[in-house]
Amino acid sequence: MTSPVRCACCGAELADPQRIDVRFGLPDAALSLPEDEVLHVNGGLLAVKDRGSFARCLLPVSLSGDFELVLGTWMKISDADLERTAAVWEEPEYAELVLGGTLANDIRPWGMLGAELTAEVRDTEDIPYAASSTDGLLDRVLHGVWDRDDVLSCFGHELPVAVRTSLTEEWSVERSAGLMGQVVDGRSEFAAEDRAVYTEVLIDNGTRTPEEFLESMLDGAPEVPPEHRTTFRADDGMLRHAFWHAVEVDDEERQQFYGFVVRPGSAVVVGCMYGDPALHGWAMHVLRSVNYVS
């Protein structure tokens, strides 16, 4: 019997492992407002003081590798459509609902805030789906196929799949499934409750060999036993080095893993923090995932 595929974020069984759901909690117009100015008509409808009426909708995006990203986003609708939709939300007439309006969230990497769209009900158990648009870009988003990593790396949400994330135009690293992502002071960071990754791209003066550059970066590093360090070249030919040791953090033992990927002129440093020593293999995978494309 085949084991069920489970979400890397929460462990829940995935009905469709090729579908990735990302939800926008509010329309952009309501993000900075106090709660008393946002009226929740029901789970899919909002009325925002002085800013109009909004309905939730699903925006499906086809991604490479036969993945589908389904964005739970918002559309701005007329006040009359809000009243009409609320009246049929739990009624048989909901199956025939068609809504016209404009996209109410700015969605990376495309933007599209304010783009015209039409949404319709495909399944009475779901909120309406964005079906068509007179906006050229939104129409291409709805009907084209987009690079999975280019799109998913724009979302800091926990995702059930690993995503290759650009650090610079040339350097990239894999963000593991289940990790949230953010950029802090120009550096990509990924984290979950039990582990975290910190990255930094360093530029050399171009005259040192990778070995000399690595030696300079290791100056002042803690001494660790031979079994807690490794140096190797992977198939890509780049020099890789790592060392790891345990430290005390808030009265708990934590593992610190420092990895270096070095080529002439530049390097990537990855720092992995985790509690369970069994995650060492995961940290090595992060190190091996670092890639450079000129």
Side-chain angles (χ1 to χ4, degrees):
M1 182 177 179
T2 303
S3 299
V5 178
R6 298 192 177 276
C7 178
C9 309
C10 64
E13 184 175 340
L14 296 175
D16 182 358
Q18 297 297 107
R19 170 171 165 159
I20 300 165
D21 290 271
V22 172
R23 181 177 183 271
F24 289 80
L26 290 169
D28 287 6
L31 290 176
S32 60
L33 297 181
E35 291 185 7
D36 60 1
E37 294 187 13
V38 181
L39 173 63
H40 293 263
V41 178
N42 59 34
L45 298 172
L46 287 178
V48 181
K49 183 179 179 181
D50 299 328
R51 302 198 180 183
S53 299
F54 300 86
R56 288 194 63 81
C57 65
L58 298 175
L59 197 162
V61 183
S62 296
L63 303 178
S64 58
D66 292 326
F67 283 89
E68 181 183 44
L69 172 65
V70 180
L71 297 164
T73 186
W74 293 86
M75 60 186 296
K76 186 174 183 180
I77 60 175
S78 68
D79 294 343
D81 274 345
L82 176 71
E83 184 176 346
R84 176 174 66 91
T85 304
V88 302
W89 195 261
E90 300 289 345
E91 303 298 330
E93 292 83 358
Y94 176 72
E96 306 301 322
L97 180 68
V98 177
L99 287 173
T102 57
L103 192 63
N105 292 107
D106 187 62
I107 302 174
R108 296 180 62 197
W110 307 286
M112 304 187 298
L113 179 66
E116 182 277 335
L117 69 89
T118 298
E120 60 187 28
V121 174
R122 296 182 181 176
D123 185 330
T124 55
E125 297 299 316
D126 283 335
I127 57 178
Y129 274 78
S132 62
S133 176
T134 58
D135 180 86
L137 177 56
L138 180 50
D139 181 70
R140 293 196 299 275
V141 170
L142 285 169
H143 299 109
V145 178
W146 299 81
D147 183 271
R148 191 195 82 162
D149 291 330
D150 286 349
V151 172
L152 294 183
S153 62
C154 293
F155 294 90
H157 308 66
E158 297 174 344
L159 297 172
V161 296
V163 178
R164 178 151 296 278
T165 301
S166 295
L167 304 177
T168 66
E169 289 187 3
E170 299 83 14
W171 287 104
S172 65
V173 67
E174 183 183 278
R175 172 177 141 205
S176 304
L179 300 190
M180 298 179 66
Q182 63 177 344
V183 177
V184 179
D185 296 330
R187 303 169 185 173
S188 291
E189 299 180 358
F190 316 130
E193 185 176 344
D194 62 339
R195 52 194 164 143
V197 178
Y198 306 91
T199 69
E200 184 174 6
V201 178
L202 301 178
I203 304 300
D204 192 28
N205 57 23
T207 62
R208 292 183 289 190
T209 66
E211 288 78 9
E212 291 169 336
F213 191 13
L214 175 62
E215 183 179 3
S216 71
M217 289 186 286
L218 293 175
D219 185 34
E223 290 290 334
V224 298
E227 63 270 22
H228 282 199
R229 62 178 184 264
T230 183
T231 303
F232 61 96
R233 288 184 182 270
D235 292 341
D236 57 20
M238 290 189 291
L239 178 64
R240 281 172 165 80
H241 175 82
F243 68 87
W244 54 95
H245 62 125
V247 296
E248 197 81 10
V249 179
D250 297 330
D251 297 325
E252 292 186 1
E253 185 176 272
R254 300 282 291 173
Q255 309 299 315
Q256 287 188 341
F257 176 101
Y258 294 95
F260 304 81
V261 184
V262 193
R263 68 178 308 278
S266 62
V268 168
V269 182
V270 294
C272 300
M273 293 281 291
Y274 48 97
D276 186 354
L279 286 172
H280 173 72
W282 160 77
M284 284 296 300
H285 175 81
V286 173
L287 175 65
R288 291 179 180 275
S289 79
V290 175
N291 190 35
Y292 181 93
V293 177
S294 58

